[in-house]
Amino acid sequence: MLLVPCPHCGPRNSADMSYQGEASSRPDPSSTTPTEWREYLYMKHNPAGWLRENWYCSSGCRRFFTVERHTVTSEFREPPLPGSKTPRPTGDGADPARGAP
Amino acid sequence: MPVRLSAVIRRSLAKRRLAPRYSGAGLLWRGVRNSSWPRVWREPPLKKSYDVVVIGGGVHGLATAYYLAANHGITDVAVLDKAYLGSGGSGRNTAIVRSNYLTPEGVAFYDRSLELYNTMSADLNLNVMFSERGHLTLAHTDSAVRTMRWRAEVNKLQNIDSSVIGPAEISRIAPSLDTSPNTRYPILAALYHPPGGTIRHDAVVWAYARAADAHGVDMHQKTEVIDITCEGGEGPDGKGPGAKVTGVCTSKGDVSARVVINCTAGWAGLIAAMAGLKLPITTHPLQAAVTEPVKVFLPTVVVSGSLHVYVSQTDRGELVFGASVDPFATYDMGGTLDFTEELAGHVLELMPAVSEMRLLRQWAGLCDITPDYSPVMGFTPVEGFLCDVGWGTYGFKAGPVSGEQLAKCVAEQATPELISPFALSRFDSGMLVGEKGAAAVGH
Amino acid sequence: MIRRLEPRSGEVIDRATPLKFTWNSKKHIGYAGDTIVSALLANNESVFSRSMKYHRRRGVLTADYWDPNTMVQVGTEPNVRGAHRLLEADMLVSAQNAWPSLDFDVKAANGLFGRFLTAGFYYKTFIKPQRLWPAYEKVLARFAPGGVVDLNTPHGYHDKRYCHPDVVVAGGGPAGLAAAISAAQAGMNVMLVEHNHHLGGHLRWGTDEDRAVADELEATARMAGVEILTDSTVTGRYDDNWIAVSQRNHPGVVERLIKARAKILVVAPGLIERPYVFAGNDLPGVMLSGAARRLINMYAVRPGNRGVVLTANADGDAAVVDLERAGVEIAAVLDARAGETISKASGSSRHLNSVTLLDGSTVKADLLVTAVGWTAPTSLLNMAGDRPCYSPKAARFFSTALPDNVIATGGIVGDGRLDELIAHGASSGELAAERAAAVKHRLRSTVTRAQTPEGPEPPMPADHRDGLCKAPHPELYRSDTHGMVDFSEDVGSKDLLSAAAEGFDSVELLKRFTTATMGPSQGKLETVNTVAVLGEARGESIEEVGTTVWRPPYAPISLGALAGRVFEPVRVSSLHEWHTANNMKPILAGQWIRPDHYGDPAAEVTNVRTNVGIIDVTPLGKLDLRGPDVPRLLNLLYTNEWSKLPVGRVRYGMMCAEDGVVADDGVTGRLGEDHYLMTTTSSGAGQIWQWAEMWLQTEHPDWQVHVTPVTTGYTSINIAGPRSRDLLTRLVDDVDLSPVAFEYMNVRSGTIAGVADCFMWRIGFTGELSFEIHVPAGFGLHVWEQLIEKGADLGVGPFGLEAQRIMRLEKGHFIVGQDTDGLTKAPTTGLTPLIRLDKADFAGKPELEWSLGAGAPELPVLVAIRPTDPQLVPDEACQILRKGTAEIVGRITSSRFSPTLGRSVCLGQVTPEFAAAGTEITVRLCDGSDTTATVMQHHAHFDPEGVRLRG
């Protein structure tokens, strides 16, 4: 089981966390276009390499945080400091209408 | 785009090799004479140019190549695979086939697939061991019963044999299931789909490969696509929307092609990125496991959506298990212990008697998950670059029909009716396919 | 004649404790310490199974856990490793895969057709006529190998254990023991896991001096505080050294899964002896040198009378000595190092009779022992990402690259004298200890609130161990004849060659086509021989062919152990015992167990409509929101307007996801200036909490809002019916409940039945005058009982979920997730006035704006529906069709018989074409017949003006 580096709790089992998907920034809802908005809703980089992504420490401190993880080797790099500005998570996990994919 | 050919010319052009047919008599004859069978497919050199390049030598890619050649006379086709044929999801799935989906689009599509699977052994002259053993999807909650009924009703309207049955009937069909009302997740009902079943997944790969080869299709194993070449697009290197595909660069050399088809499941996003496209796809591993063999006792496929598990027993006696995809995106197929723990817990919830059976092997495949649990098929904003991806956990079931329809799409330069709901453009219009309603685990 | 030897110094059997057992209904006696197989051999049994395909008789091959020929059924337990499992008193042991008996097996007839049953034969036949395939399939299924599952087997007791050792050592041979000792002596917390029953590895079946070393190492390890597990296996190494250990001998537990988060894993599994491929290599009487030596030295069993030994190494030479000491007549010794080998073994189907040498001469023998080399069980290394590489010089695979937290030692690394192996183990243990200390430092420094260790993080200690040499060993895989490669799967070298000739000539394709290496030992005996034969076919070396990746688990583990004690939490309210004592019919709703009804849901409805009823709604999600920015949060989460909600008022709201799909709904009330209580659906409680936190933490960290989930902190009761005010008034003194003072959609806090700090909301899902009260959970039962007691004369009665569902349907209230689905956008619900596009922002706003704009694609419409036949209740999920066609234009989402109206009532989604009031629609019932129904003007079938609830 992967150890996810929560900036508050330290490394925790991934089962204690809730995955929130790729980090992306939310377009301004007052000026966005359908193409831009749906790109934000649905399109993914999905790289085989370093990915900026969001996690929610659901069984621990209950804080959202952003980390970079390598999607092939499962390494994390430079865990963020607590309180660092994190872009809003989007997609799969963040959306209460959708369960786990 | 390939030239359209008349049916007569097409037939004469189809360079069908005269390969010996597989049969019981042939087996006896060769046994008596101690002679061996010829190679199942050729190992041709990689040409500099092909009409159509199919990336991915799994069921989807091979079926596409086969139907291009067999149905449309397009034989200048290469299938490229970075490893060996069937090394991806085609060789890692749990080999369940069914057509009891939720939406009319889904049902029509998978029903055609089941039809092709049904006659595949004879059509392709290789026994793919299709076992029409019935498929039970268990419901443990009120709302699950409602979803099962929803599926059953949609299925019946399309003449699919599918109905909701109660615990007594479930127990009759699969006596090893604990249908008592006192379990943590009592079995309230099930969607019973008699035409569903299992098939030998590797055999399907080999059958298509052998048949495609006989029609002159070149298959190249251990040939990895490193890049896709385009011209005229908005993005860097002439890629991206508005571009036209010109070929692929591979680990064994460059190949020019007028049509490039992406059939790479979990790796679909990486291949699309080579053409400058982004897809609505996240790659998650789907794990599976198998036990040691025991004498056959489970006659049907059993699925429980609420318990995230599906199980069937092979003719060799092994129980084959699957679950839902792993919770986070990764290309790592190492597998996890938590998967086996959860799986075992849920299996024992359904069948307490198997607690002494031992798990022999676990593995994982990569799934290309889309937001609406439906595929992305057909044309893309890059001319000549087609996709047959986004299959998530359903890809194997859909292999034959996907190949058939995609071949049609290439040959006729128009999107066939059966796959029109699955166009990439739906994510631009926000009109998703309704299969999401019944997703969870739906093997 | 095979028989028990005189007592010997190294034996592990306890001759003072004889054990009776049964083998295929024959009675035998063995000793404590015997394995099933050693006891059977001592009783002159030499055939233990029939092979999978040809049903050939099989005797002992390796005499350990990996022996493919000695899988037996023990009682209800299938596939027991007979050469590993210890004998127990009164064991019922029987052979598997033989019918009608082990001695006479009719399927052995398959052997006659061997040349036709080549690998993959079934792909080529049974193709036509296709209709006969199911019949063939049934026959094939009868040939499934393995034991029998008794469908009455109980689950058994399975515990699990978690631990955090600094170092886990997999393998208790000399190197593993030495590693464990030095790591423990360096102050580390060490767990040593040995697959077999005894520590010492190959020393156990060696000389007396070997055993003395093993004993000393074991004693030192215990002294050093190493936790030692025997008959236990490290079955897997997963991400970040998450180690799975299957412990098979823990008292009171059938099999236990230990999950260890090890800082360092030391892999020291030793080597597995490899069989040799030649004709007749699966005859009973042909075995490996390790088997012969284990049987003689540990179990005091003579493996044969007259033996031939093929030896390529010191272990084979030692076997010759052991055999002689055990009184076996040595007929011939062939030294493979000098180029000698055997050609084939012959005999009856029951036993080996003679061995043919390369020159064609034969030697009479009933025992043939081979020692042709080893396979490195690199499984755990594979799981750590290693891709081992073949060394032709040493004739086995070696590790290439390992992560820092995995260290290999012992035979898997190289060869050496015993002292060299021990020295390598000891230096590996030191390295493990150094690295474990570095990992500890790193783990501590990543926790900001923990005490940070002193100094900067030390670099990961480098590997300065002296290596072990790779001793030359002849490459011996196949003789000049064809024999068995995979004993479990009955796949021979000839099968492999012909499959390769057909084009299945990469190791993965070959494996899939022939099933070689897919059996119970998962390739530990077979993989390298398979690769070697494939190399022959391709004219390539073993390194060029490569090998397959070994997947977890290292050794099979029972489903019971993996499952553990099934722990699926159940949630119940503080009133659960009352419900149980009062005839509750329960219903499962997510994790909650709730009363569906108390016997007669229709009567419960009528009682609410005429008198007063109370329902336990504790599972309703409740979030306590505090802070000056709560209105901003509410405006963001809900589609409607929340800026000006006065204190004491509550409001209904609908939430959407960013794609405009309805996610949840509920009411939120303002309890004080900066204090609100939000309610969510029961199933949405957890997710909405997370959703709120997500917006607050990531998008608006500057907003001052504190969210506290209080779902189970309060017992929630809805008091509904025309007499609800009368009832509640009897329990409340400090709140004026009169219609003027406490209007519809208001909230008050006060004391109920003496319980302070309760909240009362005037809202209701049932359409009746009703009060929803939230009572501190500890007093829930008290208040509930008071309601029952004080309302007796008012006709108060409990009602369950079913009655509530009927009443909400009568009122046309939709349920998120039932009347909506994963694609239902907010406008479908008809609550368009609640979608306030004039707000600057809210979740899903852009999508809703577009779906309400001109030219937007048509969305389905939620409508109330009444079947033409008032007695007919269509099942929920029945499809609505365009008349006379099979075209689906909608579906029934909710359907019940309304006791209030005396007719069936429904909600459904239809396409806009069918949504106008008065439209007649066609409903396809589950039995296939069609009926008609009418679309209604209002969602509410009952009291559409809401007179009753405002009363």
Side-chain angles (χ1 to χ4, degrees):
Chain A
M1 174 151 359
L2 202 61
L3 280 175
V4 180
C6 171
H8 307 268
C9 305
R12 302 272 301 222
N13 283 352
S14 61
D16 294 351
M17 303 273 173
S18 150
Y19 184 61
Q20 303 290 306
E22 281 186 17
S24 65
S25 45
R26 185 176 186 243
D28 179 353
S30 56
S31 61
T32 189
T33 62
T35 302
E36 183 193 45
W37 185 258
R38 284 166 188 153
E39 161 123 5
Y40 148 75
L41 284 183
Y42 303 125
M43 295 298 166
K44 307 288 174 196
H45 289 287
N46 198 29
W50 292 105
L51 172 68
R52 270 179 76 75
E53 62 185 10
N54 297 307
W55 291 79
Y56 176 55
C57 189
S58 48
S59 299
C61 63
R62 303 204 168 102
R63 301 298 294 176
F64 287 80
F65 58 93
T66 306
V67 285
E68 283 187 37
R69 178 176 56 96
H70 197 283
T71 60
V72 179
T73 64
S74 300
E75 291 167 273
F76 287 90
R77 72 177 173 195
E78 293 174 39
L81 291 171
S84 68
K85 166 80 177 153
T86 55
R88 217 185 66 80
T90 62
D92 318 319
D95 179 342
R98 301 175 205 151
Chain B
M1 277 289 153
V3 195
R4 285 170 189 248
L5 303 164
S6 83
V8 182
I9 302 171
R10 228 188 273 162
R11 265 197 298 277
S12 66
L13 282 183
K15 313 173 265 185
R16 198 180 150 78
R17 285 189 307 135
L18 289 172
R21 293 184 65 75
Y22 290 158
S23 68
L27 199 74
L28 282 174
W29 178 241
R30 276 164 209 276
V32 170
R33 297 191 28 185
N34 244 336
S35 65
S36 61
W37 293 90
R39 283 187 70 87
V40 67
W41 50 71
R42 295 165 295 131
E43 271 188 344
L46 186 68
K47 294 196 294 180
K48 287 274 166 236
S49 161
Y50 285 92
D51 237 13
V52 181
V53 164
V54 179
I55 309 175
V59 175
H60 283 256
L62 292 168
T64 303
Y66 167 73
Y67 290 113
L68 275 171
N71 292 0
H72 305 284
I74 300 169
T75 57
D76 188 21
V77 178
V79 179
L80 312 181
D81 198 289
K82 66 174 179 173
Y84 58 96
L85 298 182
S87 52
S90 299
R92 295 164 187 272
N93 66 82
T94 48
I96 296 168
V97 292
R98 64 179 177 94
S99 65
N100 56 349
Y101 281 72
L102 179 66
T103 57
E105 304 88 298
V107 174
F109 187 79
Y110 288 97
D111 194 43
R112 174 69 188 143
S113 211
L114 204 51
E115 216 171 279
L116 290 167
Y117 268 133
N118 243 309
T119 59
M120 184 176 290
S121 293
D123 292 348
L124 304 181
N125 179 234
L126 192 145
N127 188 354
V128 293
M129 295 190 260
F130 178 49
S131 171
E132 198 179 65
R133 53 178 63 188
H135 184 283
L136 281 175
T137 313
L138 306 176
H140 308 271
T141 64
D142 221 31
S143 65
V145 174
R146 204 176 300 121
T147 307
M148 294 309 135
R149 204 182 295 121
W150 182 0
R151 277 166 66 177
E153 290 308 303
V154 172
N155 294 167
K156 284 188 218 162
L157 284 166
Q158 294 184 279
N159 297 316
I160 305 296
D161 187 356
S162 177
S163 57
V164 175
I165 60 172
E169 180 75 357
I170 296 167
S171 186
R172 193 189 59 73
I173 294 169
S176 52
L177 293 176
D178 184 354
T179 50
S180 67
N182 304 321
T183 56
R184 172 67 178 82
Y185 297 102
I187 296 172
L188 302 179
L191 181 66
Y192 183 46
H193 178 48
T198 59
I199 201 160
R200 180 84 183 98
H201 55 358
D202 292 329
V204 173
V205 171
W206 303 332
Y208 272 120
R210 177 169 169 264
D213 174 79
H215 279 93
V217 171
D218 285 1
M219 274 149 327
H220 302 284
Q221 305 187 69
K222 293 181 187 160
T223 307
E224 184 171 2
V225 171
I226 298 159
D227 201 4
I228 294 174
T229 51
C230 300
E231 60 188 27
E234 299 163 4
D237 300 328
K239 297 179 179 185
K244 186 174 183 319
V245 82
T246 56
V248 297
C249 308
T250 80
S251 55
K252 293 200 175 153
D254 296 353
V255 175
S256 69
R258 283 180 289 174
V259 176
V260 173
I261 307 178
N262 178 7
C263 297
T264 55
W267 296 269
L270 307 178
I271 295 293
M274 291 177 191
L277 293 178
K278 211 166 153 188
L279 293 177
I281 284 177
T282 318
T283 298
H284 290 256
L286 178 67
Q287 299 194 57
V290 66
T291 64
E292 293 177 350
V294 294
K295 298 285 180 256
V296 174
F297 68 92
L298 182 66
T300 57
V301 178
V302 176
V303 177
S304 164
S306 322
L307 291 178
H308 299 290
V309 63
Y310 44 97
V311 50
S312 66
Q313 191 173 19
T314 66
D315 290 341
R316 287 160 48 85
E318 304 147 325
L319 291 182
V320 181
F321 304 123
S324 50
V325 295
D326 282 7
F328 54 89
T330 174
Y331 288 84
D332 177 7
M333 287 190 277
T336 63
L337 178 64
D338 14 333
F339 156 76
T340 59
E341 293 180 81
E342 207 166 300
L343 175 86
H346 290 157
V347 167
L348 293 183
E349 178 76 21
L350 299 176
M351 298 191 289
V354 301
S355 72
E356 291 179 325
M357 286 185 73
R358 292 181 189 82
L359 196 87
L360 189 58
R361 180 172 71 249
Q362 67 175 110
W363 68 92
L366 292 186
C367 293
D368 36 349
I369 308 285
T370 61
D372 59 357
Y373 304 94
S374 294
V376 173
M377 290 186 80
F379 299 110
T380 68
V382 173
E383 192 188 330
F385 182 69
L386 283 79
C387 276
D388 173 20
V389 300
W391 284 103
T393 61
Y394 308 134
F396 179 72
K397 299 162 182 63
V401 66
S402 302
E404 184 194 55
Q405 297 299 312
L406 213 66
K408 196 173 173 202
C409 191
V410 170
E412 298 178 356
Q413 295 190 56
T415 305
E417 180 68 30
L418 216 48
I419 64 169
S420 59
F422 306 133
L424 176 60
S425 58
R426 73 180 184 275
F427 294 98
D428 206 33
S429 63
M431 296 305 288
L432 273 47
V433 181
E435 218 43 76
K436 190 176 169 182
V441 173
H443 293 263
Chain C
M1 190 72 37
I2 293 166
R3 62 170 179 272
R4 189 79 79 184
L5 300 163
E6 290 303 304
R8 337 174 33 89
S9 55
E11 68 183 25
V12 297
I13 52 171
D14 175 8
R15 294 184 193 242
T17 313
L19 302 172
K20 286 186 205 157
F21 69 105
T22 308
W23 166 244
N24 292 334
S25 69
K26 253 192 279 180
K27 302 231 181 292
H28 285 312
I29 296 177
Y31 294 121
D34 257 328
T35 64
I36 292 170
V37 160
S38 68
L40 284 171
L41 282 166
N43 283 278
N44 291 335
E45 298 283 356
S46 57
V47 176
F48 306 106
S49 68
R50 291 281 189 157
S51 72
M52 176 182 162
K53 212 155 69 180
Y54 308 124
H55 288 253
R56 290 161 63 95
R57 287 180 178 81
R58 290 278 171 80
V60 69
L61 179 71
T62 69
D64 66 358
Y65 189 92
W66 308 113
D67 200 321
N69 299 344
T70 57
M71 302 259 277
V72 293
Q73 176 104 19
V74 175
T76 61
E77 188 181 353
N79 302 334
V80 172
R81 270 72 184 163
H84 174 84
R85 179 68 61 87
L86 296 180
L87 190 67
E88 287 168 35
D90 306 317
M91 243 181 185
L92 286 171
V93 186
S94 53
Q96 302 183 154
N97 208 28
W99 188 84
S101 74
L102 183 62
D103 199 44
F104 175 75
D105 181 350
V106 293
K107 289 171 193 157
N110 283 358
L112 300 176
F113 303 107
R115 56 161 61 168
F116 310 116
L117 304 184
T118 49
F121 75 95
Y122 30 75
Y123 299 125
K124 299 196 182 81
T125 185
F126 308 130
I127 294 172
K128 274 182 175 174
Q130 201 169 338
R131 67 191 150 77
L132 285 185
W133 162 244
Y136 294 136
E137 194 201 356
K138 286 204 175 70
V139 177
L140 277 186
R142 281 209 204 118
F143 283 80
V148 177
V149 166
D150 178 345
L151 293 186
N152 298 313
T153 311
H155 185 303
Y157 183 81
H158 298 275
D159 226 342
K160 282 186 189 174
R161 177 184 160 198
Y162 293 83
C163 56
H164 295 79
D166 296 320
V167 179
V168 167
V169 180
L177 277 166
I181 290 165
S182 62
Q185 286 173 343
M188 294 295 144
N189 170 355
V190 181
M191 176 185 273
L192 175 77
V193 185
E194 167 54 42
H195 180 68
N196 293 304
H197 304 284
H198 310 279
L199 293 175
H202 66 276
L203 302 180
R204 273 297 147 204
W205 54 88
T207 61
D208 286 344
E209 298 79 62
D210 287 342
R211 270 187 296 276
V213 174
D215 290 342
E216 193 191 328
L217 286 169
E218 178 174 348
T220 314
R222 290 192 191 279
M223 282 287 289
V226 174
E227 180 181 2
I228 294 172
L229 306 175
T230 55
D231 194 11
S232 303
T233 308
V234 173
T235 60
R237 184 269 180 191
Y238 299 91
D239 281 327
D240 293 319
N241 267 357
W242 184 241
I243 309 293
V245 179
S246 143
Q247 188 183 12
R248 295 177 292 263
N249 63 359
H250 190 66
V253 181
V254 186
E255 185 179 5
R256 179 160 82 155
L257 175 66
I258 301 174
K259 295 187 273 185
R261 179 70 81 180
K263 291 174 190 72
I264 304 295
L265 171 67
V266 176
V267 182
L271 296 170
I272 293 177
E273 197 172 19
R274 195 179 56 240
Y276 190 42
V277 182
F278 56 93
N281 66 342
D282 65 336
L283 277 171
V286 178
M287 66 182 71
L288 309 188
S289 74
R293 298 183 70 206
R294 271 188 280 272
L295 291 174
I296 294 168
N297 295 331
M298 294 175 72
Y299 302 103
V301 169
R302 182 162 57 213
N305 294 312
R306 187 179 151 84
V308 171
V309 179
L310 168 65
T311 170
N313 49 50
D315 280 47
D317 304 343
V320 176
V321 177
D322 285 341
L323 288 168
E324 279 177 328
R325 281 201 304 139
V328 178
E329 182 191 343
I330 300 294
V333 175
L334 298 139
D335 191 338
R337 289 157 294 197
E340 295 172 338
T341 186
I342 54 165
S343 178
K344 63 175 181 179
S346 324
S348 71
S349 63
R350 286 168 198 280
H351 214 274
L352 172 75
N353 286 334
S354 67
V355 178
T356 306
L357 309 183
L358 282 183
D359 62 7
S361 63
T362 60
V363 181
K364 286 241 164 290
D366 66 351
L367 174 68
L368 170 58
V369 173
T370 66
V372 297
W374 295 276
T375 294
T378 55
S379 198
L380 290 173
L381 306 182
N382 273 159
M383 292 176 217
D386 188 28
R387 292 292 171 266
C389 185
Y390 182 75
S391 156
K393 178 185 153 213
R396 64 180 199 259
F397 281 85
F398 291 95
S399 161
T400 52
L402 286 173
D404 289 340
N405 57 7
V406 178
I407 296 168
T409 184
I412 202 165
V413 172
D415 305 288
R417 296 185 316 271
L418 181 54
D419 59 326
E420 288 167 334
L421 286 174
I422 290 172
H424 191 268
S427 60
S428 300
E430 282 160 22
L431 180 63
E434 288 168 18
R435 287 193 177 167
V439 173
K440 262 187 201 176
H441 190 286
R442 182 189 299 165
L443 287 174
R444 288 222 182 102
S445 57
T446 53
V447 186
T448 51
R449 284 180 304 208
Q451 197 181 359
T452 2
E454 280 179 26
E457 184 179 323
M460 187 55 72
D463 184 354
H464 295 303
R465 291 174 295 168
D466 291 331
L468 286 170
C469 70
K470 290 173 186 166
H473 195 287
E475 289 184 272
L476 286 166
Y477 298 101
R478 184 170 82 83
S479 182
D480 59 343
T481 53
H482 283 291
M484 207 47 77
V485 172
D486 189 321
F487 292 75
S488 329
E489 298 286 310
D490 248 4
V491 178
S493 48
K494 212 171 167 182
D495 293 314
L496 295 176
L497 287 178
S498 66
E502 272 186 58
F504 298 97
D505 55 359
S506 71
V507 61
E508 285 286 353
L509 282 174
L510 184 71
K511 173 181 123 186
R512 287 166 182 274
F513 186 70
T514 62
T515 74
T517 75
M518 308 273 264
S521 63
Q522 287 288 290
K524 290 184 183 63
L525 302 176
E526 311 87 359
T527 293
V528 184
N529 282 340
T530 303
V531 172
V533 173
L534 179 59
E536 256 185 70
R538 294 174 54 108
E540 288 179 356
S541 68
I542 291 179
E543 330 133 73
E544 284 166 318
V545 174
T547 181
T548 54
V549 175
W550 273 337
R551 303 188 186 287
Y554 178 76
I557 178 168
S558 71
L559 295 178
L562 287 168
R565 288 180 294 161
V566 175
F567 180 67
E568 291 285 348
V570 168
R571 301 178 81 182
V572 294
S573 86
S574 61
L575 308 177
H576 186 70
E577 279 176 35
W578 189 94
H579 300 318
T580 310
N582 286 273
N583 197 29
M584 156 179 83
K585 162 91 173 44
I587 185 169
L588 210 61
Q591 288 185 329
W592 289 92
I593 298 196
R594 310 182 59 174
D596 194 25
H597 56 80
Y598 302 84
D600 184 352
E604 290 167 17
V605 171
T606 309
N607 193 47
V608 172
R609 295 272 184 239
T610 49
N611 298 313
V612 56
I614 55 176
I615 180 172
D616 179 1
V617 291
T618 302
L620 200 69
K622 294 178 278 288
L623 296 175
D624 182 279
L625 309 174
R626 290 174 199 247
D629 293 314
V630 174
R632 301 170 83 172
L633 175 69
L634 298 175
N635 270 330
L636 190 62
L637 299 179
Y638 286 120
T639 60
N640 52 339
E641 176 57 53
W642 291 82
S643 307
K644 298 188 183 87
L645 184 74
V647 174
R649 293 293 301 270
V650 299
R651 186 170 285 170
Y652 170 82
M654 178 168 54
M655 295 185 194
C656 288
E658 289 279 65
D659 56 3
V661 169
V662 180
D664 206 85
D665 68 345
V667 296
T668 291
R670 189 170 183 186
L671 306 176
E673 189 54 34
D674 289 340
H675 186 193
Y676 293 71
L677 185 65
M678 170 187 279
T679 63
T680 71
T681 60
S682 307
S683 57
Q687 279 170 314
I688 297 303
W689 174 30
Q690 181 179 328
W691 183 235
E693 285 289 355
M694 192 272 292
W695 286 99
L696 288 171
Q697 290 182 30
T698 65
E699 204 70 12
H700 299 286
D702 52 321
W703 289 1
Q704 295 181 47
V705 180
H706 208 94
V707 184
T708 313
V710 293
T711 300
T712 42
Y714 291 98
T715 299
S716 304
I717 301 166
N718 196 290
I719 307 156
R723 301 168 121 178
S724 55
R725 183 180 288 118
D726 299 346
L727 173 56
L728 191 58
T729 308
R730 294 178 184 182
L731 276 75
V732 176
D733 304 322
D734 54 358
V735 177
D736 183 353
L737 299 178
S738 66
V740 185
F742 191 9
E743 285 181 61
Y744 181 57
M745 296 302 269
N746 272 260
V747 59
R748 299 287 180 271
S749 50
T751 307
I752 304 176
V755 180
D757 299 326
C758 298
F759 300 113
M760 292 160 251
W761 319 54
R762 243 202 89 182
I763 53 168
F765 206 35
T766 58
E768 293 297 328
L769 168 66
S770 60
F771 297 85
E772 192 161 282
I773 60 173
H774 301 286
V775 180
F779 300 100
L781 183 59
H782 164 72
V783 171
W784 177 270
E785 283 175 340
Q786 285 291 301
L787 286 165
I788 294 284
E789 193 188 314
K790 294 284 181 349
D793 60 315
L794 298 173
V796 71
F799 67 104
L801 209 53
E802 176 62 15
Q804 192 197 41
R805 283 184 178 170
I806 294 171
M807 286 185 275
R808 69 92 197 173
L809 184 55
E810 290 174 343
K811 281 293 294 177
H813 294 308
F814 66 88
I815 296 180
V816 175
Q818 174 168 344
D819 299 297
T820 72
D821 58 60
L823 290 178
T824 305
K825 291 188 176 173
T828 291
T829 62
L831 298 181
T832 313
L834 295 188
I835 305 171
R836 293 294 294 273
L837 297 174
D838 53 340
K839 287 200 292 185
D841 187 11
F842 63 87
K845 184 189 170 196
E847 283 293 346
L848 294 174
E849 195 162 358
W850 299 321
S851 62
L852 288 167
E858 289 190 332
L859 296 175
V861 182
L862 186 71
V863 292
I865 294 165
R866 284 192 184 183
T868 311
D869 175 356
Q871 298 305 308
L872 180 76
V873 185
D875 280 311
E876 287 169 351
C878 278
Q879 301 295 301
I880 299 168
L881 307 180
R882 184 182 295 281
K883 196 173 179 182
T885 71
E887 184 194 339
I888 297 167
V889 296
R891 72 175 198 282
I892 302 287
T893 56
S894 292
S895 177
R896 284 290 188 278
F897 186 82
S898 157
T900 314
L901 302 171
R903 68 155 8 267
S904 50
V905 291
C906 309
L907 274 176
Q909 283 195 22
V910 292
T911 57
E913 186 189 343
F914 292 85
T919 308
E920 189 184 89
I921 54 172
T922 305
V923 180
R924 174 65 55 88
L925 302 175
C926 290
D927 64 4
S929 67
D930 286 348
T931 188
T932 57
T934 307
V935 172
M936 307 302 293
Q937 178 160 18
H938 298 286
H939 280 186
H941 292 273
F942 174 68
D943 186 25
E945 292 78 28
V947 176
R948 298 175 71 95
L949 57 87
R950 290 192 166 78

